[in-house]
Amino acid sequence: GVFDAALTQDGGGLWMSYSTVNVLPSDPILLRVNTRIASSSNAGGNWTDVGVTLNTPSPVQVPDNLGNPTGAVWQYEVSRILYDQYASPSPNWKIFWHRYPQANRSAAERLFQHGWIGVTTATTPTGLWSAERKLLVGTGYDPVATAGTIGPPEYTPVTLAPGGELSDCPVFSEPGALATANGIYISLKCAGGSTDKVVLLRCNNDLTGCAYRRDVLFNTEAAQFSSSYNGFSATELVTVGSTNYLIVTPTQTDDYRGCFVFQIADLDAVAPAP
């Protein structure tokens, strides 16, 4: 199947990163998820995969959630492609994704403690994409088990927010991204803690300087829209004209229930949730 489409636009048309989900006949339980790119020259009426292989689900040995060695497969989910017109001389194209291993067992256990938000860059969407950077991790990250994969993370909750605002964020996922003249803003789902929320970061255009900006939404706020909603997920940032918006999906247990769109008056002064 095809999932988690994310769009960006340059002067030549629309571009989309998306997840392809495959099942091997030899392993019908564990799906293989990776990232691909497609383009459209008619405003999304038709799409063509551009034939670029960005990542490949591959086997890995890591400790499971009980600390026991287990075979798993790297998964690459919820990608976000971004055309950054303000990046100069750094590459204009960026793709973020959530990479983590999933244990090969009946429950297909997701081992988020061994995963991170990765990013790759390129000068053209069909050109040579860079090696993946381990951009940021949550507080639940195991620095030992996957230390040899790519290397240490560039950002942690402590380096992003020395004041401790991200100390209850074991996992980051569902990245949204927006390129502006002031830098790249990244929205993230902060999950797995006692206070799940959506947070906002700002980075410079080559992603060598990132910092926490604000909490934007708390999961507890979802109930004001429906008593059955228990949180928000699938974050995205977009600009229409000169107005910026945050898009999120309200969740009902583990089900997604459409989309909410919130207007942002000022990206650098987003009001904290109550």
Side-chain angles (χ1 to χ4, degrees):
V2 174
F3 298 89
D4 293 323
L7 304 182
T8 197
Q9 186 175 19
D10 69 350
L14 285 176
W15 298 84
M16 172 175 67
S17 64
Y18 65 99
S19 298
T20 61
V21 181
N22 299 289
V23 180
L24 300 181
S26 59
D27 185 11
I29 294 174
L30 186 58
L31 304 175
R32 266 66 173 175
V33 185
N34 71 318
T35 310
R36 297 193 65 82
I37 302 173
S39 65
S40 174
S41 59
N42 59 358
N46 302 94
W47 291 94
T48 302
D49 186 276
V50 300
V52 173
T53 300
L54 293 165
N55 43 48
T56 302
S58 55
V60 64
Q61 284 283 329
V62 291
D64 64 14
N65 287 336
L66 298 177
N68 302 312
T70 186
V73 171
W74 285 114
Q75 308 283 36
Y76 302 82
E77 282 203 65
V78 294
S79 69
R80 173 55 160 106
I81 189 171
L82 180 67
Y83 173 66
D84 178 9
Q85 62 179 312
Y86 304 98
S88 179
S90 56
N92 293 102
W93 291 88
K94 301 167 176 70
I95 296 181
F96 304 88
W97 55 58
H98 185 189
R99 174 178 175 175
Y100 64 89
Q102 193 164 9
N104 194 356
R105 58 184 58 181
S106 59
E109 181 182 18
R110 294 178 175 183
L111 307 175
F112 290 131
Q113 68 270 29
H114 304 311
W116 54 83
I117 300 295
V119 67
T120 180
T121 61
T123 55
T124 66
T126 58
L128 180 65
W129 285 86
S130 71
E132 180 186 6
R133 292 165 57 182
K134 188 183 292 184
L135 188 65
L136 62 96
V137 300
T139 57
Y141 176 68
D142 183 343
V144 176
T146 53
T149 305
I150 302 180
E154 297 180 25
Y155 303 99
T156 68
V158 172
T159 59
L160 289 169
E165 295 90 345
L166 301 178
S167 61
D168 194 25
C169 291
V171 178
F172 290 117
S173 190
E174 307 273 13
L178 183 66
T180 77
N182 292 328
I184 295 175
Y185 293 84
I186 300 174
S187 58
L188 291 163
K189 169 74 171 179
C190 159
S194 60
T195 309
D196 285 6
K197 57 188 178 180
V198 175
V199 301
L200 187 70
L201 311 180
R202 188 178 72 185
C203 305
N204 57 14
N205 293 86
D206 62 4
L207 303 173
T208 57
C210 295
Y212 162 83
R213 299 299 299 173
R214 301 298 286 260
D215 296 337
V216 182
L217 287 173
F218 284 98
N219 274 9
T220 52
E221 293 182 285
Q224 67 184 289
F225 301 99
S226 171
S227 60
S228 64
Y229 293 160
N230 66 333
F232 300 102
S233 195
T235 79
E236 183 57 289
L237 295 168
V238 298
T239 298
V240 180
S242 59
T243 305
N244 300 310
Y245 298 91
L246 170 73
I247 304 175
V248 292
T249 292
T251 56
Q252 184 173 324
T253 311
D254 292 326
D255 296 331
Y256 284 12
R257 298 296 183 185
C259 292
F260 288 160
V261 181
F262 297 95
Q263 183 175 333
I264 301 174
D266 185 341
L267 279 166
D268 286 308
V270 176

